[in-house]
Amino acid sequence: GVGKSLVSMAVVDVLLTRGKTVVLVESDDSNPDVYKALNGLVQSVVLNLDDEDGYLSLCSVIESNPSAYVVVNTAARATKPISEHGGIVADTARELKRELVMLWAMNRQRDSVELLGDFLDGMDKEFTETHALINTYWGAPEKFMRFNNSKQKDRVTSVFSFPELNDMVSDKLNDKRFALSNAEAGMTIAERSVLSRFRKAANEALNKVL
């Protein structure tokens, strides 16, 4: 409920517009929306990251694709397994001289802040960077009072705002399993305009960390 799937799709979209090679790892195996939208556009794989075996498989994907950006869309249940097994990925990244960057999508609920704290407690030194992403679908940045007044805000590498996408356009993306880059063909003129503006705004936001 924080917008992880849309953020993952936007990250892939921005990288593709820059001519980068991208591999998508979808870890929400019960509802792999991002995989369904991007499979065929980029190399995509579904992995269950609930246990150590999944993290070994993820490391194999990273090692097998040394020149690619590996984008992992994590399931909502991922925080505890990341803390338990994410060190394997960190070790792999260090040995391969790869950066390991976390984009932590936020809503305004207490769980969002508390889970970020749990992640930072367990993995803060393992990741190269951790960026808190304020999803403005849930309101303007100043409305994120729980996060803004928390110690977690001072523990992350940076905080930046992610643009809102209109509900009608977002629903069409989900219903049709569109990627951001190929959705315009199935939309009205007005919807194409909204999507184009969102992609531009997402590009500008993600430019801070990519």
Side-chain angles (χ1 to χ4, degrees):
V2 295
K4 295 185 298 297
S5 294
L6 183 58
V7 171
S8 295
M9 290 177 65
V11 169
V12 171
D13 185 53
V14 171
L15 292 171
L16 289 178
T17 63
R18 299 178 185 182
K20 306 300 184 183
T21 301
V22 181
V23 177
L24 170 76
V25 175
E26 169 68 272
S27 71
D28 191 350
D29 55 347
S30 62
N31 187 29
D33 285 337
V34 179
Y35 172 84
K36 291 176 180 178
L38 296 179
N39 187 33
L41 182 64
V42 298
Q43 180 182 339
S44 304
V45 61
V46 178
L47 294 178
N48 184 310
L49 296 181
D50 290 346
D51 55 31
E52 189 174 70
D53 288 347
Y55 284 83
L56 290 172
S57 297
L58 173 58
C59 291
S60 294
V61 171
I62 296 170
E63 189 171 0
S64 300
N65 294 275
S67 62
Y69 285 76
V70 180
V71 177
V72 183
N73 181 47
T74 55
R77 62 183 187 270
T79 305
K80 187 172 185 290
I82 288 175
S83 296
E84 291 178 348
H85 308 299
I88 302 170
V89 185
D91 290 343
T92 300
R94 278 192 291 267
E95 186 163 337
L96 295 173
K97 296 181 172 54
R98 304 287 302 269
E99 290 185 307
L100 188 60
V101 178
M102 169 64 78
L103 301 184
W104 191 276
M106 306 280 299
N107 62 20
R108 292 162 55 192
Q109 302 305 312
R110 178 176 285 106
D111 283 356
S112 192
V113 179
E114 292 176 348
L115 288 171
L116 174 59
D118 292 343
F119 168 77
L120 292 170
D121 289 342
M123 293 295 296
D124 189 28
K125 294 180 175 60
E126 303 283 11
F127 276 65
T128 310
E129 300 173 0
T130 297
H131 302 273
L133 183 153
I134 300 296
N135 189 348
T136 57
Y137 176 85
W138 306 107
E142 58 269 20
K143 292 186 177 182
F144 284 67
M145 297 301 295
R146 287 191 178 92
F147 173 68
N148 292 333
N149 295 329
S150 73
K151 64 180 181 180
Q152 316 311 346
K153 185 175 182 179
D154 296 325
R155 297 176 66 189
V156 296
T157 308
S158 77
V159 181
F160 67 98
S161 298
F162 186 76
E164 177 184 2
L165 178 60
N166 174 271
D167 283 340
M168 290 178 60
V169 176
S170 179
D171 288 346
K172 185 168 283 190
L173 285 174
N174 292 330
D175 292 345
K176 302 293 185 180
R177 308 296 190 192
F178 286 141
L180 295 177
S181 60
N182 65 14
E184 291 187 357
M187 293 188 171
T188 67
I189 295 172
E191 289 168 342
R192 292 201 302 269
S193 175
V194 168
L195 180 60
S196 177
R197 291 171 182 274
F198 168 79
R199 291 177 69 193
K200 180 179 179 181
N203 191 323
E204 292 174 352
L206 292 169
N207 187 54
K208 303 175 188 299
V209 296
L210 294 180

